[in-house]
Amino acid sequence: MSAPVIVLGAGPAGLAAAEAASASGQSVLLIDENSAPGGQIWRGGPQRWRDERASRLWEALRARAHVTMLGGARVVAPAGPRALLLEAADGALTQPWEKVIVCSGARELLLPFPGWTLPGVTGAGGLQALIKGGMPVAGKRVVVAGTGPLLLAVAATVREHGGEVVALVEHRGSGDLARFAAKLALSHHGKLLQSLQLAARLRGVPYLRGASVLAAEGSGRIERVLLRQRGREKAIDCDFLACGFGLTPSLELAALFGCAVEQGRVGVDGAQRTSVQGVWAAGESTGIGGVDKALAEGRIAGLDVVGGAPNASDLRARGTAQAFSALLAQSFAPLPSLRAMCTGSTIVCRCEDVLAADLAPHTGWRSAKLQTRAGMGPCQGRVCGTACTFLYGWEAPGLRQPVFPASAATLALPQTLRVDTVARAHPESPQQQTN
Ligand SMILES: Cc1cc2nc3c(=O)[nH]c(=O)nc-3n(C[C@H](O)[C@H](O)[C@H](O)COP(=O)(O)OP(=O)(O)OC[C@H]3O[C@@H](n4cnc5c(N)ncnc54)[C@H](O)[C@@H]3O)c2cc1C
């Protein structure tokens, strides 16, 4: 039996890749740090899914005995030349690999402003993930602020769960938004329809365009947010402020394999192959573009890994999704004016409490890190490193192994993972783990 194709990440890209690769009979091992499949957009597991594409992919995988899911296991480092080190709740494991598809998704770009570290202030997608995970927001007043279409999806989730969206604050002005809508009408009808449906679910919510956050205020937790719109300042009382300024590809797993990164995303060719032989990448890690791009790229990677070729409709779907991705980047890249949100007394590195005023004299990440400890806390610069790239134009901090924090026991005592033992954690029971 040939070694399994390993798919890292069970979001839309990973599920599509696993389905395409396993359709040929090839054994596939799907690994995710979450116990349930679905990634960001299909968070919460199969019983909560409303998107038929998710259920179809999962049903196909469940029906194939040669597909195995290992949930609740995070890949943290290499364990030798062609092996991965994984950390799971019940111990550390190593898994040899021959062919891997990296589908590691994206994370939010968090930008600092006064009060952003107060309890009750979260990322926009972060609040959505908390709600999907069961955090109650019924009766709570929520401000959703930042830029980009994710804000609409987050506001709709808040409303659906009984929260009151007291303001939706978009940094881009009406002109930019009208131009984006016109381009959707021209070549992305499905996306336009989705936006209109979201807008209908948000009827009555105050939509402040061309507005930005000045500060979050409160004693002990957020009580109000200060905003500026067209030169006028206003304060809005709230229980939560969810701020999103777009997404940024998660590059840790690609870094673990040594894959080339181009313009902040994993570089791939037309078959989704990375610069490293035996490693493919798909989904948000190769550029932010949403679920359709993740599905199309995942499918193409999954076919290529088993020597198959995509058909014309796969390539068309990817082309359309990548064009949408470029439109998103062009329409919602954070504007330089957002830098003004961060004042000298704003905390930039929240792990080590480093202020913007302490960072300003430095000319690059390395000297800032050495002299202020910015980026040396538990998140290892994942949040403040990206913020500093935006604020000061510094090159992103390089990633070191282990690419995610791991316990000393994990680094010292891994056991070798055997796919036949993992078979007990077949997709039928995604919660199950093994060692
Ligand atoms: C916080 C957040 C909220 C979002 N909400 C929406 C939304 O409401 N609507 C929308 O259209 N789009 C949303 N998106 C965009 C969304 O990411 C994409 O549309 C889609 O989910 C991308 O699919 P993907 O498979 O590329 O990545 P993801 O869905 O992010 O899947 C990546 C998977 O990789 C796993 N993973 C990463 N690193 C490791 C590791 N080291 N070890 C093991 N597993 C790992 C993760 O656990 C995750 O399950 C959101 C994105 C974020 C970051």
Side-chain angles (χ1 to χ4, degrees), residues 230-251:
R230 288 192 280 275
R232 296 229 314 263
E233 290 183 14
K234 65 166 90 176
I236 300 180
D237 291 342
C238 61
D239 303 301
F240 289 101
L241 166 62
C243 264
F245 298 96
L247 304 175
T248 180
S250 295
L251 300 175

Short mmCIF file of all heavy atoms in Angstrom, two decimals, residues 230-251:
data_model
loop_
_atom_site.label_atom_id
_atom_site.label_comp_id
_atom_site.label_asym_id
_atom_site.label_seq_id
_atom_site.Cartn_x
_atom_site.Cartn_y
_atom_site.Cartn_z
N ARG A 230 -16.21 61.52 8.62
CA ARG A 230 -16.23 62.84 7.96
C ARG A 230 -15.84 63.97 8.91
O ARG A 230 -16.55 64.97 9.06
CB ARG A 230 -17.60 63.11 7.33
CG ARG A 230 -17.86 62.24 6.09
CD ARG A 230 -19.06 62.71 5.33
NE ARG A 230 -20.30 62.25 5.91
CZ ARG A 230 -20.85 61.06 5.67
NH1 ARG A 230 -20.25 60.22 4.85
NH2 ARG A 230 -21.96 60.69 6.23
N GLY A 231 -14.76 63.76 9.66
CA GLY A 231 -14.24 64.80 10.55
C GLY A 231 -14.99 64.95 11.86
O GLY A 231 -14.56 65.70 12.73
N ARG A 232 -16.11 64.22 12.03
CA ARG A 232 -16.87 64.37 13.28
C ARG A 232 -16.66 63.13 14.15
O ARG A 232 -16.64 62.00 13.67
CB ARG A 232 -18.37 64.51 12.96
CG ARG A 232 -18.68 65.78 12.17
CD ARG A 232 -19.84 66.60 12.74
NE ARG A 232 -21.01 65.84 13.08
CZ ARG A 232 -22.08 65.70 12.29
NH1 ARG A 232 -22.07 66.25 11.08
NH2 ARG A 232 -23.13 65.04 12.69
N GLU A 233 -16.52 63.39 15.44
CA GLU A 233 -16.31 62.26 16.36
C GLU A 233 -17.62 61.89 17.03
O GLU A 233 -18.45 62.75 17.29
CB GLU A 233 -15.27 62.64 17.43
CG GLU A 233 -13.90 62.76 16.81
CD GLU A 233 -12.80 63.07 17.81
OE1 GLU A 233 -13.04 62.93 19.02
OE2 GLU A 233 -11.71 63.44 17.37
N LYS A 234 -17.78 60.59 17.29
CA LYS A 234 -18.96 60.17 18.05
C LYS A 234 -18.62 58.97 18.93
O LYS A 234 -17.68 58.23 18.64
CB LYS A 234 -20.13 59.86 17.12
CG LYS A 234 -19.95 58.69 16.19
CD LYS A 234 -21.26 58.29 15.59
CE LYS A 234 -21.56 59.03 14.28
NZ LYS A 234 -22.75 58.61 13.62
N ALA A 235 -19.39 58.82 19.99
CA ALA A 235 -19.17 57.68 20.90
C ALA A 235 -20.40 56.77 20.82
O ALA A 235 -21.54 57.25 20.78
CB ALA A 235 -18.99 58.18 22.32
N ILE A 236 -20.16 55.48 20.76
CA ILE A 236 -21.29 54.52 20.72
C ILE A 236 -21.12 53.55 21.88
O ILE A 236 -20.07 52.88 22.00
CB ILE A 236 -21.32 53.76 19.38
CG1 ILE A 236 -21.49 54.75 18.23
CG2 ILE A 236 -22.44 52.73 19.36
CD1 ILE A 236 -21.53 54.11 16.86
N ASP A 237 -22.11 53.44 22.72
CA ASP A 237 -22.05 52.50 23.85
C ASP A 237 -22.19 51.07 23.32
O ASP A 237 -23.02 50.81 22.43
CB ASP A 237 -23.18 52.78 24.84
CG ASP A 237 -22.95 54.11 25.56
OD1 ASP A 237 -21.81 54.60 25.55
OD2 ASP A 237 -23.93 54.66 26.11
N CYS A 238 -21.42 50.16 23.86
CA CYS A 238 -21.51 48.78 23.39
C CYS A 238 -20.95 47.81 24.44
O CYS A 238 -20.26 48.21 25.38
CB CYS A 238 -20.76 48.60 22.07
SG CYS A 238 -19.01 48.97 22.20
N ASP A 239 -21.27 46.52 24.24
CA ASP A 239 -20.74 45.47 25.12
C ASP A 239 -19.57 44.74 24.45
O ASP A 239 -18.74 44.13 25.12
CB ASP A 239 -21.84 44.45 25.43
CG ASP A 239 -23.04 45.12 26.07
OD1 ASP A 239 -22.86 45.74 27.14
OD2 ASP A 239 -24.15 45.05 25.50
N PHE A 240 -19.57 44.75 23.10
CA PHE A 240 -18.48 44.11 22.34
C PHE A 240 -18.11 45.01 21.18
O PHE A 240 -18.97 45.64 20.56
CB PHE A 240 -18.91 42.75 21.76
CG PHE A 240 -19.07 41.67 22.79
CD1 PHE A 240 -20.33 41.32 23.23
CD2 PHE A 240 -17.97 41.01 23.30
CE1 PHE A 240 -20.50 40.32 24.18
CE2 PHE A 240 -18.12 40.01 24.24
CZ PHE A 240 -19.38 39.66 24.69
N LEU A 241 -16.81 45.03 20.89
CA LEU A 241 -16.34 45.66 19.65
C LEU A 241 -15.58 44.58 18.89
O LEU A 241 -14.59 44.03 19.40
CB LEU A 241 -15.40 46.84 19.97
CG LEU A 241 -14.58 47.39 18.79
CD1 LEU A 241 -15.48 47.93 17.69
CD2 LEU A 241 -13.62 48.50 19.27
N ALA A 242 -16.06 44.26 17.70
CA ALA A 242 -15.40 43.23 16.88
C ALA A 242 -14.75 43.94 15.70
O ALA A 242 -15.43 44.55 14.88
CB ALA A 242 -16.44 42.23 16.39
N CYS A 243 -13.42 43.91 15.64
CA CYS A 243 -12.68 44.68 14.64
C CYS A 243 -11.95 43.77 13.66
O CYS A 243 -11.17 42.92 14.08
CB CYS A 243 -11.60 45.50 15.35
SG CYS A 243 -12.12 47.15 15.67
N GLY A 244 -12.17 43.97 12.38
CA GLY A 244 -11.48 43.15 11.38
C GLY A 244 -10.93 44.02 10.26
O GLY A 244 -11.65 44.87 9.71
N PHE A 245 -9.68 43.83 9.92
CA PHE A 245 -9.07 44.62 8.85
C PHE A 245 -8.60 43.71 7.71
O PHE A 245 -7.64 44.01 7.01
CB PHE A 245 -7.91 45.44 9.42
CG PHE A 245 -8.39 46.41 10.48
CD1 PHE A 245 -8.33 46.07 11.83
CD2 PHE A 245 -8.95 47.62 10.12
CE1 PHE A 245 -8.80 46.94 12.80
CE2 PHE A 245 -9.43 48.49 11.09
CZ PHE A 245 -9.36 48.16 12.43
N GLY A 246 -9.25 42.58 7.57
CA GLY A 246 -8.89 41.65 6.52
C GLY A 246 -8.16 40.44 7.09
O GLY A 246 -7.99 40.32 8.30
N LEU A 247 -7.76 39.57 6.20
CA LEU A 247 -7.12 38.31 6.60
C LEU A 247 -5.70 38.26 6.04
O LEU A 247 -5.40 38.95 5.07
CB LEU A 247 -7.92 37.12 6.06
CG LEU A 247 -9.39 37.06 6.45
CD1 LEU A 247 -10.08 35.89 5.74
CD2 LEU A 247 -9.55 36.91 7.96
N THR A 248 -4.90 37.44 6.66
CA THR A 248 -3.54 37.26 6.17
C THR A 248 -3.23 35.75 6.15
O THR A 248 -3.62 35.04 7.09
CB THR A 248 -2.56 38.09 7.04
OG1 THR A 248 -1.26 37.89 6.56
CG2 THR A 248 -2.61 37.75 8.50
N PRO A 249 -2.62 35.24 5.06
CA PRO A 249 -2.39 33.80 4.98
C PRO A 249 -1.60 33.26 6.17
O PRO A 249 -0.66 33.91 6.64
CB PRO A 249 -1.59 33.64 3.69
CG PRO A 249 -1.96 34.83 2.87
CD PRO A 249 -2.18 35.95 3.85
N SER A 250 -1.95 32.07 6.66
CA SER A 250 -1.17 31.39 7.71
C SER A 250 -0.02 30.65 7.04
O SER A 250 -0.25 29.73 6.27
CB SER A 250 -2.05 30.38 8.46
OG SER A 250 -3.06 31.05 9.15
N LEU A 251 1.19 31.08 7.37
CA LEU A 251 2.35 30.58 6.62
C LEU A 251 3.20 29.58 7.40
O LEU A 251 4.20 29.08 6.89
CB LEU A 251 3.23 31.76 6.20
CG LEU A 251 2.53 32.80 5.31
CD1 LEU A 251 3.44 33.99 5.06
CD2 LEU A 251 2.12 32.16 3.99
#
